[in-house]
């Protein structure tokens, strides 16, 4: 297969290791495959060398839904019984992916928890529980629908100037909802791309990146709806662009990850390609 015909490869973060092949991950993979890319389920490992080998072959990354992120990661030490058990290994994989995506402009999409991780990475924070916290003096209850996830449960308004609105070709959408946390403080580098009717941020995007978008809803369950198909298709288009023209800049990158005792490890990237001296 020629490079121009090669399907881009999207690295998918597993939702709940060590059993990654659950129905949720399969649904993400199906959505990626239907949009024209090849899904690749990423391992969760402490071996950074494994990611040095894998990441250069990825044309994009998908951060999936799942259990809550440790509140310590975004500076919240409040004890809330609604916060589910967190997965440190998964959190550090996502952090490494976000460092890599940010450094090399690799396309990235975050869904539900993945959107929340995106916000945390760039300096934002979360409501620990929408039903019990009232920091914005709004009623954020009932964000985990009891109806089938393939059916929308509430309305969102999209920023008409945002990239997401252009992708979905609408300023209004009906979405599903299966989360109990949400964005409290929006990260400074990010822009809110959609809100629900009570003012809760439902989508974010990085205006300085080729494709870095997060949505609070689960578009993989809404695949029969044309606008949600467009979201995956435009993401895969961005991954195809990465595959064709941009991967060479990160082909020989070493990853240095140091656990310093801070909330997140320090991550840096080293170009192992020897520089050719100018002898002219």
């Amino acid at each position: 297969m020629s490079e121009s015909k090669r399907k881009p490869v999207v690295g998918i973060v597993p939702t709940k290791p060590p059993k990654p092949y659950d129905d949720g991950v399969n649904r993400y993979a199906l959505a990626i495959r239907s949009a024209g890319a090849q899904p690749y389920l990423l391992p969760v490992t402490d071996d950074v060398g494994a990611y040095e080998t894998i990441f250069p072959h990825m044309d994009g990354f998908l951060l999936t839904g799942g259990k809550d992120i440790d509140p310590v990661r975004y500076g919240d030490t409040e004890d809330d019984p609604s916060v589910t058990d967190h997965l440190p290994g998964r959190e550090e994989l996502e952090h490494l992916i976000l460092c890599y995506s940010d450094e090399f402009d690799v396309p990235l999409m975050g869904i539900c928890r993945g959107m929340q991780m995106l916000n945390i990475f760039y300096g934002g924070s979360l409501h620990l529980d929408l039903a019990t916290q009232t920091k914005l003096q709004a009623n954020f209850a009932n964000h985990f629908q009891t109806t089938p996830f393939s059916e929308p449960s509430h309305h969102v308004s999209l920023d008409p100037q945002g990239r997401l609105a252009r992708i979905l070709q609408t300023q209004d959408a009906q979405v599903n909802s299966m989360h109990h946390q949400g964005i409290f403080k929006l990260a400074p580098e990010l822009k809110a791309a959609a809100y629900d009717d009570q003012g809760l941020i439902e989508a974010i995007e990085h205006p300085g990146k080729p494709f870095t978008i997060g949505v609070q809803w689960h578009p993989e369950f809404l695949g029969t709806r044309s606008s949600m198909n467009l979201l995956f298709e435009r993401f895969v288009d961005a991954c195809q662009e990465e595959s064709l023209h941009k991967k060479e800049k990160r082909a020989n990158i070493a990853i240095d990850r140091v656990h310093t005792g801070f909330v997140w490890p320090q991550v840096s990237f080293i170009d192992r390609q020897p520089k050719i001296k100018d002898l002219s």
Side-chain angles (χ1 to χ4, degrees), residues 168-188:
L168 299 183
Q169 300 176 8
T170 183
Q171 296 179 28
D172 298 276
Q174 296 294 323
V175 302
N176 55 15
S177 189
M178 50 198 86
H179 61 103
H180 81 101
Q181 296 187 323
I183 290 179
F184 171 49
K185 175 188 174 185
L186 179 64

Side-chain angles (χ1 to χ4, degrees), residues 143-164:
H143 270 267
F144 203 105
Q145 68 188 63
T146 57
T147 53
F149 296 156
S150 58
E151 296 298 323
S153 63
H154 71 84
H155 166 263
V156 296
S157 300
L158 283 73
D159 175 6
Q161 304 302 317
R163 181 178 301 163
L164 185 61

Side-chain angles (χ1 to χ4, degrees), residues 34-184:
S34 296
Q38 179 65 39
Y40 179 87
L41 194 64
L42 295 164
V44 178
T45 175
D46 291 331
D47 180 10
V48 175
Y51 299 124
E52 289 179 348
T53 301
I54 294 169
F55 282 7
H57 297 283
M58 300 297 105
D59 303 301
F61 294 101
L62 180 64
L63 305 186
T64 59
K67 291 189 175 184
D68 296 339
I69 302 158
D70 187 347
V72 172
R73 302 285 198 181
Y74 48 93
D76 200 325
T77 58
E78 182 179 345
D79 185 17
D80 193 305
S82 67
V83 177
T84 60
D85 294 337
H86 43 273
L87 301 167
R90 178 183 174 182
E91 290 171 3
E92 297 208 355
L93 167 58
E94 291 168 327
H95 177 259
L96 185 61
I97 288 170
L98 283 159
C99 289
Y100 191 85
S101 174
D102 182 70
E103 179 75 14
F104 300 107
D105 289 341
V106 181
L108 181 140
M109 184 160 72
I111 292 176
C112 197
R113 178 192 190 279
M115 183 194 86
Q116 296 168 5
M117 180 60 81
L118 176 61
N119 184 58
I120 291 168
F121 173 77
Y122 283 106
S125 64
L126 305 178
H127 292 283
L128 292 180
D129 184 64
L130 295 173
T132 58
Q133 291 191 312
T134 56
K135 292 178 180 177
L136 295 184
Q137 302 301 313
N139 177 18
F140 290 136
N142 302 320
H143 270 267
F144 203 105
Q145 68 188 63
T146 57
T147 53
F149 296 156
S150 58
E151 296 298 323
S153 63
H154 71 84
H155 166 263
V156 296
S157 300
L158 283 73
D159 175 6
Q161 304 302 317
R163 181 178 301 163
L164 185 61
R166 295 195 298 272
I167 289 172
L168 299 183
Q169 300 176 8
T170 183
Q171 296 179 28
D172 298 276
Q174 296 294 323
V175 302
N176 55 15
S177 189
M178 50 198 86
H179 61 103
H180 81 101
Q181 296 187 323
I183 290 179
F184 171 49

Side-chain angles (χ1 to χ4, degrees), residues 189-211:
E189 291 186 46
L190 302 179
K191 179 181 177 182
Y195 293 89
D196 76 356
D197 292 340
Q198 298 166 317
L200 183 69
I201 296 174
E202 287 275 341
I204 56 178
E205 54 193 43
H206 194 310
K209 298 295 179 182
F211 193 108

Side-chain angles (χ1 to χ4, degrees), residues 15-52:
T15 57
K16 48 181 181 181
K19 297 178 180 179
Y21 292 101
D22 62 282
D23 289 342
V25 169
N26 287 338
R27 193 174 292 275
Y28 295 117
L30 285 172
I32 291 298
R33 188 176 290 114
S34 296
Q38 179 65 39
Y40 179 87
L41 194 64
L42 295 164
V44 178
T45 175
D46 291 331
D47 180 10
V48 175
Y51 299 124
E52 289 179 348

